[in-house]
Amino acid sequence: MSENGMAYSVTYIEASPEHVEDVVQCIRDILYATMSVRGHRESYALQRIGQAHHFVVASAWDGLSAWEKYLTQRETLSLDGRMAEWLLAPLDRRVHHALSVGDGWDTASSGFYAVTHVDVIPPAKEEGTALIKSIADACRAKGGNIRFDALTQEDRPNHMTVIEAWAGADAQVGHMTAPHTKAYRDALAPLCGALYDERIYMRVPG
């Protein structure tokens, strides 16, 4: 159950390398169009460092019904269709509820973002969920942290998405190598059903 009743979508996009700029422009159009949709709270887009044809678009909604209604709107379908020819794979949309999210919204366009998909084995769901919530709660107050959101996937509650933003590369590396992060990874590793998939991004300017 969500701690705040909101819905969070995380969409993974793999562009054809020769169409990266086309996809970036389409993502900007999506962000602009989404701003005026009823029930929308926040959206931002990220571009992967080292693999510039990989993107993430994250958004927050007043509830699952607001997100589902947005998906059926003509403009959404039109933008999805326009982008489809430039992609290597279909859009990978995942809807979540909050496990641990901060207050307020980050509007900074700078910073290093880490997006991690965590898959824990079903028998360890409760233990894994507690570990992920604890690291999010603790790290949100660390120096250099802009945001630290932990989300639970609606249709697979043993799958979590963690979105971190740090003021710069040094802050992100400092977190990654800190003793508390190592302790968390050590405790989580035996519970995981797949690779701990952490990817580093920069914000796509609006």
Side-chain angles (χ1 to χ4, degrees):
M1 178 65 66
S2 174
E3 66 174 18
N4 60 10
M6 292 178 60
Y8 299 83
S9 69
V10 179
T11 302
Y12 296 90
I13 301 171
E14 293 186 55
S16 178
E18 65 268 27
H19 288 291
V20 166
E21 291 307 314
D22 295 316
V23 171
V24 167
Q25 185 55 55
C26 197
I27 288 171
R28 290 193 178 112
D29 292 343
I30 289 169
L31 295 180
Y32 181 76
T34 307
M35 288 172 57
S36 60
V37 175
R38 186 180 180 87
H40 172 257
R41 296 289 295 275
E42 177 199 30
S43 289
Y44 56 93
L46 308 174
Q47 186 171 21
R48 192 174 179 185
I49 296 172
Q51 288 186 282
H53 64 294
H54 285 190
F55 300 89
V56 165
V57 177
S59 60
W61 301 81
D62 282 338
L64 190 58
S65 60
W67 162 246
E68 290 174 339
K69 185 175 180 180
Y70 161 74
L71 288 180
T72 66
Q73 292 185 351
R74 182 183 302 175
E75 190 164 17
T76 306
L77 297 172
S78 175
L79 287 166
D80 285 357
R82 187 178 117 202
M83 188 163 47
E85 63 179 299
W86 302 324
L87 303 183
L88 295 178
L91 296 174
D92 184 350
R93 282 194 172 110
R94 297 166 185 252
V95 64
H96 306 70
H97 60 259
L99 174 60
S100 174
V101 300
D103 296 327
W105 307 113
D106 157 53
T107 57
S109 60
S110 59
F112 272 48
Y113 283 72
V115 179
T116 307
H117 179 77
V118 187
D119 170 8
V120 298
I121 56 176
K125 179 175 74 70
E126 297 302 325
E127 185 180 355
T129 297
L131 280 170
I132 294 165
K133 186 178 189 304
S134 68
I135 195 75
D137 291 344
C139 290
R140 200 173 293 120
K142 298 292 183 183
N145 182 257
I146 297 171
R147 76 184 304 152
F148 207 116
D149 295 340
L151 310 171
T152 300
Q153 196 167 318
E154 282 288 341
D155 58 348
R156 295 182 180 90
N158 61 312
H159 289 213
M160 271 71 74
T161 299
V162 179
I163 301 177
E164 313 163 32
W166 299 90
D170 290 346
Q172 194 272 328
V173 171
H175 161 71
M176 189 171 58
T177 58
H180 63 265
T181 305
K182 185 178 187 304
Y184 156 73
R185 293 289 303 276
D186 286 347
L188 186 65
L191 313 180
C192 286
L195 181 69
Y196 186 85
D197 189 6
E198 182 180 69
R199 304 179 183 189
I200 307 302
Y201 298 81
M202 294 291 286
R203 189 84 167 246
V204 174

